Amino acid sequence: DQQVKQNSPSLSVQEGRISILNCDYTNSMFDYFLWYKKYPAEGPTFLISISSIKDKNEDGRFTVFLNKSAKHLSLHIVPSQPGDSAVYFCAARAQYSSASKIIFGSGTRLSIRP
Amino acid sequence: GAVVSQHPSRVICKSGTSVKIECRSLDFQATTMFWYRQFPKQSLMLMATSNEGSKATYEQGVEKDKFLINHASLTLSTLTVTSAHPEDSSFYICSASNRRTNGYTFGSGTRLTVV
C-alpha cells in the first residue's frame, strides 16, 4: 500500500518557466511533509517542508502548497534553472518529531531544458 | 550544518560474505537513525529504525537476521548485510534524526554490488 504517491515519473520544463511537482497521500495521520532533491548515487538533500497547520510555505524559488482536504501537495520551482534537474521526492511523517520515520513517494525526475 | 558521513560509498563483495556499512553523525547527536534501500529508478524504502542503545525496529518484510543494525552510540550506526546474495545489490542510505532542527540528515549512500 503506497501511502505517498508521485504519479508523474518524469517532467520536462523549459529553463525560466515554472516547474510543478505533485504528490498525493492517503494516510490522514500525516501531519508533516517534506521535499527532497536527489542526484544519482547520492543521498537526498532537503529542500523545503510544510506542517499540516499551514497551506503554503515559501523559501526562495521553492514554494510548497498543501491541500489537506484533497490530501495533495505540490512543489513549485520558479524560475526553473538547469541545476534543478534531478529526482524530487515527496515524503511524509505522522508525528511532529524527527524521531518518527518518514515515508517517501516514488520520485519525479525533473529535466530542465534550455 | 549537520553532516552524516556514510562509508563505504561503493563496495563489491562475493556471495556469501558480509558487508558492514557505517554512518556517523559528525556534528550532532543522532538518537534515531533510519536505514533505507533504493533500487534503480525506485523510491527509498525504509528498512529499519534504530534508536541509540536499543534494538532496531524493522519494517515488514525486512529480515532482521540478514540486515543487522547496531546503534551503539549517539554518533554511529552500522548496517551489516550478512551472507550477501546478488539480490542484495542495491543503494543503501542512512538518515539521522536531528532534534536540534527537527529534521533529517542523509548520508551519501553506499552502492553495494554482490557478485
Side-chain angles (χ1 to χ4, degrees):
Chain A
D1 177 31
Q2 207 174 353
Q3 299 185 64
V4 181
K5 303 177 185 179
Q6 292 176 259
N7 293 318
S8 298
S10 63
L11 175 67
S12 179
V13 174
Q14 191 168 19
E15 182 179 357
R17 300 289 187 106
I18 183 172
S19 296
I20 300 177
L21 297 106
N22 293 303
C23 179
D24 298 291
Y25 61 96
T26 57
N27 189 340
S28 57
M29 298 301 291
F30 288 146
D31 62 1
Y32 193 66
F33 305 89
L34 311 94
W35 282 95
Y36 287 87
K37 177 180 180 180
K38 186 180 182 301
Y39 295 112
E42 293 184 12
T45 302
F46 172 75
L47 282 175
I48 193 169
S49 62
I50 188 167
S51 165
S52 60
I53 62 174
K54 295 186 175 182
D55 54 18
K56 176 183 176 182
N57 189 24
E58 190 173 353
D59 184 1
R61 296 187 299 115
F62 302 93
T63 303
V64 56
F65 295 91
L66 174 63
N67 183 333
K68 282 183 64 177
S69 60
K71 293 191 177 69
H72 176 84
L73 63 155
S74 60
L75 174 67
H76 292 209
I77 306 173
V78 56
S80 300
Q81 299 173 354
D84 296 331
S85 295
V87 177
Y88 289 78
F89 288 96
C90 169
R93 74 182 182 202
Q95 292 180 340
Y96 191 66
S97 165
S98 61
S100 300
K101 62 185 181 184
I102 56 175
I103 306 299
F104 283 85
S106 53
T108 297
R109 181 175 300 278
L110 175 64
S111 300
I112 306 301
R113 58 182 190 273
Chain B
V3 175
V4 171
S5 175
Q6 182 171 347
H7 293 281
S9 57
R10 283 180 172 271
V11 58
I12 300 174
C13 70
K14 292 184 177 180
S15 290
T17 62
S18 295
V19 174
K20 180 184 282 188
I21 301 170
E22 287 191 354
C23 271
R24 292 180 184 272
S25 56
L26 298 186
D27 50 1
F28 67 100
Q29 293 182 335
T31 52
T32 304
M33 192 78 81
F34 305 91
W35 286 93
Y36 292 86
R37 180 177 182 176
Q38 184 186 26
F39 291 106
K41 298 184 179 181
Q42 293 190 23
S43 183
L44 284 76
M45 302 301 298
L46 180 66
M47 299 174 64
T49 301
S50 73
N51 292 295
E52 183 264 338
S54 61
K55 290 184 178 180
T57 301
Y58 289 81
E59 295 298 303
Q60 192 173 11
V62 178
E63 300 176 58
K64 61 180 181 181
D65 293 330
K66 180 167 186 60
F67 299 100
L68 301 179
I69 291 172
N70 185 284
H71 193 167
S73 78
L74 287 172
T75 58
L76 174 64
S77 178
T78 61
L79 167 67
T80 302
V81 182
T82 63
S83 186
H85 289 172
E87 55 264 33
D88 298 327
S89 298
S90 189
F91 191 63
Y92 294 86
I93 310 173
C94 64
S95 171
S97 68
N98 189 332
R99 281 187 181 176
R100 193 171 66 235
T101 64
N102 195 28
Y104 307 86
T105 302
F106 284 81
S108 53
T110 298
R111 168 73 60 195
L112 171 63
T113 303
V114 184
V115 297

